[in-house]
Amino acid sequence: MLVTGVHHIKIWVTDLARSREWYEKVFDLELSMSFEDQDGVVRGMAFRVAGTDFEIALRENRRLAEALHDADPFALATTREGLDEWIAHLDARGIAHSPVIRASRGYGLGFRDPDGVQIRLYATDPAVTAESGDRVRVPPVNL
């Protein structure tokens, strides 16, 4: 059995147009495809994430999006320096975020999408991992 990476991350949203605008602004995404439902209405879109080999897909489904409110279903990898760049990027776009925190295996920060899903950026640091052992501390994104 072989897994070679992550193909895409799907995020359920309550309003596709609003979320598309937000995710494009935050992640500088490029639309790769749209998905029409049987009624001909576009309720899903996939976007290339620059510098990676995976996509972010948005799917409009109010019930599932509301169920994910306050969840943190994934974390995106970056570097410690990258976290500082993300803070400047988010600040320039007026997006509230946590400070950089020391976590179980490195450093991270978080922010929320328009539906309240917590998005985490994580920079692994082997020195922090060695100090932490098996302890895990992942605080919620409180904004």
Side-chain angles (χ1 to χ4, degrees):
M1 293 185 4
L2 176 66
V3 174
T4 60
V6 175
H7 183 271
H8 70 275
I9 296 171
K10 184 183 291 182
I11 304 162
W12 288 275
V13 300
T14 58
D15 182 320
L16 184 60
R18 175 186 69 170
S19 292
R20 175 187 183 174
E21 180 181 343
W22 189 88
Y23 276 91
E24 286 179 329
K25 176 174 75 170
V26 171
F27 291 102
D28 193 27
L29 301 175
E30 180 182 329
L31 181 66
S32 60
M33 65 175 41
S34 297
F35 306 96
E36 290 183 1
D37 282 352
Q38 289 180 346
D39 61 5
V41 176
V42 173
R43 290 196 180 88
M45 297 178 162
F47 302 87
R48 285 188 222 39
V49 180
T52 73
D53 59 356
F54 73 92
E55 294 183 331
I56 289 179
L58 303 177
R59 178 73 172 140
E60 190 172 272
N61 182 312
R62 178 168 293 282
R63 182 180 56 81
L64 292 175
E66 289 172 351
L68 282 177
H69 179 81
D70 209 30
D72 61 340
F74 61 89
L76 301 173
T78 189
T79 62
R80 177 61 188 91
E81 297 77 21
L83 291 172
D84 294 330
E85 293 170 7
W86 270 100
I87 286 175
H89 174 77
L90 295 169
D91 286 347
R93 284 152 182 77
I95 297 171
H97 57 81
S98 72
V100 173
I101 61 155
R102 185 167 179 240
S104 57
R105 295 183 181 166
Y107 298 90
L109 70 86
F111 53 99
R112 293 176 186 270
D113 81 355
D115 288 307
V117 171
Q118 297 183 52
I119 297 172
R120 296 186 186 267
L121 298 166
Y122 208 90
T124 301
D125 183 331
V128 173
T129 302
E131 291 173 19
S132 298
D134 291 334
R135 293 184 318 245
V136 176
R137 182 180 68 89
V138 182
V141 178
N142 295 316
L143 305 176

